[in-house]
Amino acid sequence: MSKTNRGNFFEDFEIGQVIRHATPRTVTGGDQALYTALYGSRFAVQSSDAFARALGYAHAPVDDLLTFHIVFGKTVPDISLNAVANLGYAGGRFLAPVYPGDTLSTVSEVIGKKENSNGRTGVVYVRSTGYTANGTEVLDYVRWVMVNKRDPGSPAPDPVVPDLPAAIDPDALGTAVPLLDSAKWDNDLSGSAFRFGDYAIGEKIDHVDGMTVEEAEHQMATRLYQNTAKVHFNQHTESKGRFGKRLIYGGHVISLARALSFNGLGNAFHISGINGGRHVAPLFSGDTVYAWSEVLDKSEIEGRMDVGALRLRLTATRNRSCQDFPLKDGDGKYLEDVILDFDYWVLMPK
Amino acid sequence: MSKTNRGNFFEDFEIGQVIRHATPRTVTGGDQALYTALYGSRFAVQSSDAFARALGYAHAPVDDLLTFHIVFGKTVPDISLNAVANLGYAGGRFLAPVYPGDTLSTVSEVIGKKENSNGRTGVVYVRSTGYTANGTEVLDYVRWVMVNKRDPGSPAPDPVVPDLPAAIDPDALGTAVPLLDSAKWDNDLSGSAFRFGDYAIGEKIDHVDGMTVEEAEHQMATRLYQNTAKVHFNQHTESKGRFGKRLIYGGHVISLARALSFNGLGNAFHISGINGGRHVAPLFSGDTVYAWSEVLDKSEIEGRMDVGALRLRLTATRNRSCQDFPLKDGDGKYLEDVILDFDYWVLMPK
Amino acid sequence: MSKTNRGNFFEDFEIGQVIRHATPRTVTGGDQALYTALYGSRFAVQSSDAFARALGYAHAPVDDLLTFHIVFGKTVPDISLNAVANLGYAGGRFLAPVYPGDTLSTVSEVIGKKENSNGRTGVVYVRSTGYTANGTEVLDYVRWVMVNKRDPGSPAPDPVVPDLPAAIDPDALGTAVPLLDSAKWDNDLSGSAFRFGDYAIGEKIDHVDGMTVEEAEHQMATRLYQNTAKVHFNQHTESKGRFGKRLIYGGHVISLARALSFNGLGNAFHISGINGGRHVAPLFSGDTVYAWSEVLDKSEIEGRMDVGALRLRLTATRNRSCQDFPLKDGDGKYLEDVILDFDYWVLMPK
């Protein structure tokens, strides 16, 4: 029996199977410093203990996407080592703040499985839950990946496709945020004068700035998350592969776009839910990422007078500025330069 | 009204205007670790809790220039987003030690303003003060930048040019350093046998070593400081710009030169004042930085028997070793390879 | 007398000489985060406070090789600044766990010296000991380097070559590990079902994955360790040197290979002894590192029922996968792609 992990194939997943992933990870101020160095994030709640404390946090929580990437990274050796593609995310909820010192672990349940018509691959759906050492759930989300079959001749299982929500119900949002004293929210320090009431459904915001990505940056980020997907790290094999070069972890794009979105959404201090997300095209070292947002919806949250929820569609492009809000062509196909289509809820102070 | 920050133009600044900058920032051991990884700094006081404690510090303070860069970075979105050039620094004083856990914020006051004769740009002078969450001032300094006018046709304001000191008065130095027990200063551990008394005015020191800079390094540094100046990050636009490539944040050069200066100034443990500084020429990825120092002055500090102040001129070059102390040609023009001319005070144990 | 350190030459070393190295260094969670970002290490004991505590540690210790690199880095300015080559390591023992907050210093003793027949260089042997601020020894090891003579005409000293052990005695291993409660060792969380009893002498394991190295990565790593060897940092001089490019610190290769070895040796949670090591060939930016291991020996440890020791030979290659276990050719010469031959003890739970 081989001592090395060659990853699971389509046949290895069973509906209802629960996988306790390896490598619990204590998050520290060092991780947050690296996150800042990698993306230049500027949201005040995650940047400043003093700002966070004034609002009712114990101290500054780490960036929500740092939590996401660490929780996600643990699933890779078991779920997506033989993945052909990471197809999508849905139903993600941030459930509790994560502070430096917390230890994160991840458990996944297989909730769907469907063979593709080509007989060589299939789609696997998993719900992954991140939790701390004392059992507090901090994040759960669904993702689905296309996985190779070990044996193209193995019979197709009965297809099970989970019923995924188009969007998280707003009343389920906000559990990771203490009741804030909005009067203590300082617009000068947060960097934006625009609050929940200032955004309108349908509004589009170009985030203006662009960020060029280097190999050393995305490799350091992806290793920080202990994500082991081979395509991000091995130029020796990738040089002979489909693209001839290393592929950048899709989550790196989400974090870059989220950091760029500060310019226009400075008070969107917390990602509360992930409704859906697709990596429309790959990103490579040397490319420059731009982003724009559209307000898809806005909602009060039951029992919360302090914050409201904005549903945002965050689009990222490569090597193309977003002043004309690029997305799809007349046929509904994504434009060539679009790389990310991400639908999520943020909270904003009122 | 646009929700994105397009930055201030010359007309937007008024004498006496006070700007509370965004993004308070809690400094951590993670920031200091990254600072060490980016520059290889070796000054023992900032490297070792035990060394710092033996001298009377609570524990190791962070590098003075890490404080400088964070305090500076906050001013960029308000002061220099439309800057054509960062012209100079003066009157900088380090006022209190900064420890991991401290939260830094910055306030600036506009103290000068003068339109250039071309009618398209002007110079803005600001005094910026960095302080911690409990109100302790840790750093103040003046910088002046050339800023574009929004409208070349707008009338020129009455020129106001502040009276800046050529150098900080030595008796104003040292407030960020506790009274040291010099007998506890261990030359073996600090890495240098040379103390205050061993340096002579006019002495020149070649710091020997060179350090090549990579894009990923200066980008990570500049983002760590939450400095948002576009020219450092966007190859897509810079490829069509003046240099065809990303420009490295000038503060990165100061930190590299300061770290190199350890070889020859190992006991210059604290930057106490910044008398002046100019970024003479740009630095780009792939260039190698060298540095040399000249002792411009030395001074006792009133009431301090433990330390003395050396006034140093730190010159950095690119792709040229400094064994012949390059600076200016016969006409007083900077030599082509010189990139930094930095005049500052350090403290040294006696 | 020059204030800059030009390094010691062969003539400067004397048998019995003790050198207290500069720059004590407090290790923090920031260093550990950077270590994870640089190598992607996944051993659960070093990754998770909760996992480490359940076993009897105070909390997660830092990676053993992070300790090694910091202790080693301090010796460079005194021992190997003028080294032609780092010839080997032997007799290394990890003696106590290192936790964030510990301050590391290094002392070396010169234990051997032998001029080479060419009269221009000689070999110097030093035993270096790393210890914390309270005097606890955490690591000691021997290394030998080839150093230039200052004056080829100076007479050769009487040769002194220390008697080095071929391997550390197993009963001397394990002092850095508390008595573990093996029942609390969770294979799911550690990422491997294979324990001490599952490995056989002579077994070979291909670690499958490859990792491409970038200039920014090895430079940041080597500066993090405050290692000042010039060849790693200065492209301006190296472009005219032997290889035309910067040479990667050999310790970076050891850490990459160790991190890759997780895939196959996930429960080898602690490096307990270094029997020997050679950097067989250099590594450069852009190269991809692979690794494989052979179990050379296994041993019980006197008084320990919880863990056993595996003696491993870790071989790293560049740009060549290790599925065929490359090492030497028929003449006993290392194959061209082999870059590291490292013989060490790890501990594994029973």
Side-chain angles (χ1 to χ4, degrees), chain A residues 215 219 230-241 244-247, chain C residues 210-212 214 286-288 290 319:
Chain A
E215 301 280 16
Q219 291 197 147
K230 299 164 195 284
V231 291
H232 309 315
F233 301 115
N234 188 329
Q235 183 58 30
H236 184 237
T237 53
E238 293 310 310
S239 68
K240 302 156 203 152
K245 45 195 170 178
R246 283 162 277 178
L247 197 63
Chain C
M211 187 67 74
T212 305
E214 301 294 322
D287 286 344
T288 300
Y290 293 87
N319 306 323

Side-chain angles (χ1 to χ4, degrees), chain A residues 272-336:
Chain A
S272 195
I274 296 174
N275 300 312
R278 285 189 55 191
H279 296 293
V280 174
L283 182 74
F284 302 104
S285 171
D287 287 344
T288 301
V289 174
Y290 293 87
W292 66 278
S293 293
E294 179 178 358
V295 181
L296 294 181
D297 198 359
K298 50 188 297 188
S299 176
E300 304 285 329
I301 300 174
E302 169 109 31
R304 301 290 299 241
M305 308 293 288
D306 53 339
V307 294
L310 288 187
R311 185 176 170 188
L312 299 170
R313 181 180 205 166
L314 177 63
T315 302
T317 60
R318 57 178 180 206
N319 305 323
R320 170 177 179 155
S321 88
C322 289
Q323 56 201 17
D324 59 346
F325 308 118
L327 188 61
K328 293 183 177 178
D329 64 17
D331 297 332
K333 271 185 49 182
Y334 285 103
L335 295 172
E336 170 177 42

Side-chain angles (χ1 to χ4, degrees), chain A residues 189, chain B residues 17-21 71 74-75 105-109 127-131 139-141:
Chain A
L189 293 184
Chain B
Q17 179 184 1
V18 171
I19 304 172
R20 295 177 68 231
H21 301 293
V71 167
K74 305 199 174 322
T75 70
S105 298
T106 310
V107 164
S108 295
E109 182 180 355
R127 173 170 291 281
S128 299
T129 304
Y131 56 93
L139 168 65
D140 73 354
Y141 68 94

Side-chain angles (χ1 to χ4, degrees), chain A residues 2-48:
Chain A
S2 170
K3 290 198 169 65
T4 52
N5 175 25
R6 306 270 168 172
N8 287 312
F9 290 88
F10 183 70
E11 294 92 328
D12 299 322
F13 296 98
E14 286 173 45
I15 302 294
Q17 179 184 2
V18 171
I19 304 171
R20 295 175 69 230
H21 301 295
T23 319
R25 174 78 146 77
T26 302
V27 185
T28 70
D31 298 307
Q32 181 62 30
L34 266 161
Y35 192 88
T36 302
L38 289 163
Y39 306 110
S41 188
R42 290 185 285 149
F43 295 96
V45 164
Q46 288 80 19
S47 179
S48 166

Side-chain angles (χ1 to χ4, degrees), chain B residues 31-47:
Chain B
D31 298 306
Q32 181 62 30
L34 266 160
Y35 192 88
T36 302
L38 289 162
Y39 307 110
S41 188
R42 290 185 284 150
F43 295 97
V45 165
Q46 287 79 22
S47 180

Side-chain angles (χ1 to χ4, degrees), chain C residues 22-53:
Chain C
T23 319
R25 175 78 147 75
T26 303
V27 185
T28 70
D31 298 306
Q32 182 62 30
L34 266 161
Y35 192 88
T36 303
L38 289 163
Y39 307 109
S41 188
R42 290 185 286 150
F43 295 96
V45 165
Q46 288 78 23
S47 179
S48 166
D49 282 343
F51 191 92
R53 272 198 208 105

Side-chain angles (χ1 to χ4, degrees), chain C residues 1-12:
Chain C
M1 184 179 177
S2 170
K3 290 197 168 64
T4 52
N5 176 26
R6 306 269 167 171
N8 289 312
F9 290 87
F10 183 70
E11 294 92 327
D12 300 321

